[in-house]
Amino acid sequence: GAVVSQHPSRVICKSGTSVKIECRSLDFQATTMFWYRQFPKQSLMLMATSNEGSKATYEQGVEKDKFLINHASLTLSTLTVTSAHPEDSSFYICSASRHSSGFYNEQFFGPGTRLTVL
Amino acid sequence: AQKVTQAQTEISVVEKEDVTLDCVYETRDTTYYLFWYKQPPSGELVFLIRRNSFDEQNEISGRYSWNFQKSTSSFNFTITASQVVDSAVYFCALSDSGSGNTGKLIFGQGTTLQVKP
């Protein structure tokens, strides 16, 4: 199967620090990677779409200077939450997609990273 | 515009009851994909099903079944003889060509299912 990992699974940091979250596709090369944020009892909200070697495409309302995305290779994307504040505390989920059939790109989700900013 | 609506925020049933989770979607495309995911308390999304817009056949997988009706833009999910382990948040999602062929998913708000023993 297609496995996507995230590291760390849980992080607690002080306000003002930066936190990096890694997303790796372990057994396939991902054409695209996505980053989602999920607040408690809410749905997944897409933050950005990233392709290897190019700038990420951010969804409306997501600050690109706040949430830095680097897609270094076809198997690794990183999300850095810069100068984190308590309101950034959330569950961050990444996914990686690969081409399946027709126009469809199958998407595989990582286990998520729970960020708590004190 | 793409939109997925799960009108039921929370559902509570007693074990062995059948339960249906509703999903209504909006898209202008004729080619699209619909999904259901389960999110247990651990947080990891579990893929349940993918259905393309050209296949309206209902699907059954064990205690799970799905009813896709293009005429009403609905893709409902039924759990038969529910069990406590079915307790989770369930998300319906849509992917269409508006995603630029990236597979971008639009999620519904989610339905929290609680199955009591």
Side-chain angles (χ1 to χ4, degrees):
Chain A
V3 180
V4 176
S5 70
Q6 274 184 248
H7 179 79
S9 59
R10 187 180 296 268
V11 57
I12 301 173
C13 69
K14 292 183 179 179
S15 186
T17 59
S18 293
V19 175
K20 180 185 285 188
I21 303 170
E22 289 187 350
C23 177
R24 293 181 184 271
S25 55
L26 298 183
D27 50 3
F28 68 100
Q29 292 187 326
T31 52
T32 303
M33 287 187 171
F34 302 88
W35 286 96
Y36 296 85
R37 179 168 56 182
Q38 185 182 28
F39 291 111
K41 298 189 181 299
Q42 294 189 24
S43 185
L44 282 75
M45 297 302 297
L46 180 66
M47 298 174 68
T49 303
S50 78
N51 294 288
E52 183 259 345
S54 61
K55 290 183 179 180
T57 301
Y58 289 82
E59 296 297 302
Q60 194 171 12
V62 177
E63 300 175 57
K64 61 181 180 181
D65 295 329
K66 172 76 171 175
F67 299 99
L68 299 178
I69 292 173
N70 182 279
H71 198 146
S73 72
L74 286 172
T75 59
L76 173 64
S77 177
T78 59
L79 168 68
T80 301
V81 183
T82 62
S83 186
H85 290 284
E87 57 266 29
D88 298 322
S89 298
S90 186
F91 191 53
Y92 293 86
I93 305 173
C94 77
S95 69
S97 72
R98 68 178 181 189
H99 183 69
S100 179
S101 61
F103 83 85
Y104 177 66
N105 291 288
E106 196 168 6
Q107 200 168 140
F108 302 92
F109 287 86
T113 296
R114 193 164 301 281
L115 170 63
T116 303
V117 185
L118 303 176
Chain B
Q2 309 149 306
K3 187 178 180 181
V4 177
T5 301
Q6 295 177 253
Q8 305 149 307
T9 305
E10 292 185 15
I11 300 176
S12 181
V13 299
V14 177
E15 205 169 19
K16 297 184 182 178
E17 286 185 10
D18 299 346
V19 58
T20 295
L21 283 61
D22 298 334
C23 173
V24 174
Y25 62 92
E26 294 178 29
T27 176
R28 292 177 182 162
D29 284 355
T30 56
T31 303
Y32 52 89
Y33 292 86
L34 295 164
F35 305 78
W36 276 96
Y37 288 90
K38 174 181 180 180
Q39 188 178 41
S42 64
E44 185 162 2
L45 283 176
V46 178
F47 169 81
L48 296 178
I49 189 171
R50 178 184 78 240
R51 173 68 69 202
N52 77 54
S53 53
F54 299 111
D55 182 3
E56 284 193 76
Q57 279 193 335
N58 291 331
E59 180 154 340
I60 298 174
S61 176
R63 295 184 298 105
Y64 295 169
S65 62
W66 291 269
N67 185 327
F68 177 27
Q69 292 197 347
K70 290 176 75 172
S71 60
T72 56
S73 297
S74 64
F75 186 43
N76 297 336
F77 172 32
T78 297
I79 301 174
T80 303
S82 60
Q83 300 176 359
V84 173
V85 293
D86 295 328
S87 298
V89 181
Y90 291 87
F91 290 99
C92 180
L94 164 73
S95 179
D96 63 18
S97 60
S99 66
N101 293 348
T102 61
K104 172 180 169 180
L105 292 171
I106 304 299
F107 284 88
Q109 301 91 322
T111 297
T112 300
L113 173 64
Q114 183 182 33
V115 182
K116 299 178 181 178

